[in-house]
Amino acid sequence: MAFFHHFLLLLVICSFTVESAELWTQSCNDNSITNSTQISSNIDALLVQLVSGTIKNGYITTSYGKSNYKVYGLSQCRADVSRTTCSTCILDAAKQIRQLCPNQAGASIWYDDCFLRYDTRKFAGQVDTTVGIYFYNVENVTDPDSFNKQLETLTGQISSEAVKPGNRGFGRGKIGWSKSEDIYGLVQCTRDLSQASCTQCLDTAVGNLRNFCEDKKGCRVLYNSCILRYELYSFF
Ligand SMILES: *[C@@H]1O[C@H](CO)[C@@H](O)[C@H](O)[C@H]1NC(C)=O
Ligand SMILES: *[C@@H]1O[C@H](CO)[C@@H](O)[C@H](O)[C@H]1NC(C)=O
């Protein structure tokens, strides 16, 4: 399908909980910085700004450096996490991203509670779903028809909530499915996006559930511009 430029398919068989920040995955682009110590030191300086801005306001877009060595960054916490959780997460993200993508001038890192990205290309305000990472529960639901109907309703509701003014691109909720089970869903856009761009990203994520998470008991769709997650248990 033409709309996937790159994607990785990953499985998470068991879910787990940890006290510290939970790292989901990272994406390192192929823009190498091995011969530029200037870009590398600008990334370090950018990360300091990203961390302090995120701890202060929960979100920041910024840049550092001049001309060809300029780097652009964005970081944010999930809109429903506490300041303490946010600080822990973003500090860990800034540390880990340099270890996981040491030679790249562009990288993204996704945690349960926060997200951080930088690049030598300016990206703020633009929808980016070129890298798609999908984690899904290998188990299938027993009654796909009713499940998918309810999932569609839920993802529609939380997507509308996310783009309401003041909601910072964030929506979450649950919906009854079987007699005893609920579906829990969460979406978060990066906060640089307009309402229309956030909608566009979430529509792509919802549309891809059919392609990558069909009938699965849980799934996470991760893009640079938004994330979508649903599970049959409460995770927020
Ligand atoms: C790295 O070296 C190559 C080849 O000399 C050059 O074309 C490229 O611009 C350099 N990259 C940076 C970031 O300086
Ligand atoms: C779920 O359904 C798919 C498609 O029918 C199948 O390939 C897969 O083995 C099933 N997974 C499990 C855990 O039963």
Side-chain angles (χ1 to χ4, degrees):
M1 274 165 260
F3 51 94
F4 301 117
H5 300 296
H6 314 277
F7 71 88
L8 299 171
L9 203 56
L10 300 158
L11 305 183
V12 173
I13 293 162
C14 51
S15 59
F16 49 88
T17 51
V18 283
E19 296 297 325
S20 59
E22 187 188 326
L23 170 61
W24 283 351
T25 192
Q26 77 285 343
S27 164
C28 314
N29 75 11
D30 18 301
N31 182 2
S32 174
I33 50 166
T34 44
N35 59 353
S36 174
T37 51
Q38 185 64 57
I39 288 183
S40 193
S41 62
N42 285 350
I43 290 173
D44 289 333
L46 178 80
L47 287 171
V48 172
Q49 291 185 0
L50 290 175
V51 167
S52 67
T54 305
I55 291 174
K56 202 166 158 216
N57 299 316
Y59 158 75
I60 184 175
T61 54
T62 186
S63 62
Y64 194 91
K66 290 201 176 92
S67 62
N68 289 341
Y69 302 106
K70 190 166 182 175
V71 284
Y72 300 86
L74 176 154
S75 55
Q76 65 180 43
C77 284
R78 215 172 81 191
D80 62 340
V81 304
S82 71
R83 199 172 177 147
T84 312
T85 301
C86 180
S87 304
T88 307
C89 189
I90 211 68
L91 280 163
D92 199 50
K95 193 173 78 185
Q96 293 290 338
I97 199 165
R98 291 295 265 152
Q99 289 168 12
L100 294 166
C101 306
N103 301 316
Q104 283 81 25
S108 302
I109 192 163
W110 291 263
Y111 281 71
D112 188 4
D113 300 322
C114 67
F115 171 73
L116 186 152
R117 176 187 184 192
Y118 55 80
D119 207 305
T120 48
R121 285 177 304 113
K122 194 172 181 175
F123 59 81
Q126 294 161 21
V127 180
D128 183 352
T129 55
T130 52
V131 173
I133 300 173
Y134 305 84
F135 288 100
Y136 59 83
N137 186 322
V138 292
E139 286 184 52
N140 299 313
V141 296
T142 47
D143 182 357
D145 289 344
S146 74
F147 178 81
N148 289 325
K149 199 163 145 264
Q150 292 301 81
L151 181 60
E152 193 180 328
T153 304
L154 177 64
T155 52
Q157 284 168 357
I158 60 180
S159 298
S160 312
E161 192 186 319
V163 298
K164 276 191 196 137
N167 283 356
R168 295 168 292 172
F170 178 73
R172 68 178 198 194
K174 68 170 181 173
I175 193 168
W177 165 50
S178 67
K179 276 199 193 79
S180 55
E181 283 182 301
D182 291 323
I183 311 172
Y184 295 82
L186 180 150
V187 291
Q188 172 81 72
C189 288
T190 53
R191 288 167 58 180
D192 56 316
L193 295 187
S194 66
Q195 192 177 340
S197 298
C198 179
T199 300
Q200 187 189 330
C201 189
L202 295 177
D203 284 352
T204 303
V206 171
N208 274 331
L209 290 178
R210 237 172 282 131
N211 298 317
F212 296 105
C213 313
E214 188 162 35
D215 307 337
K216 300 302 176 199
K217 285 187 171 177
C219 192
R220 279 170 269 172
V221 179
L222 312 179
Y223 299 128
N224 275 324
S225 293
C226 67
I227 61 160
L228 161 66
R229 181 181 188 184
Y230 75 83
E231 305 287 352
L232 293 181
Y233 57 85
S234 176
F235 58 90
F236 49 71

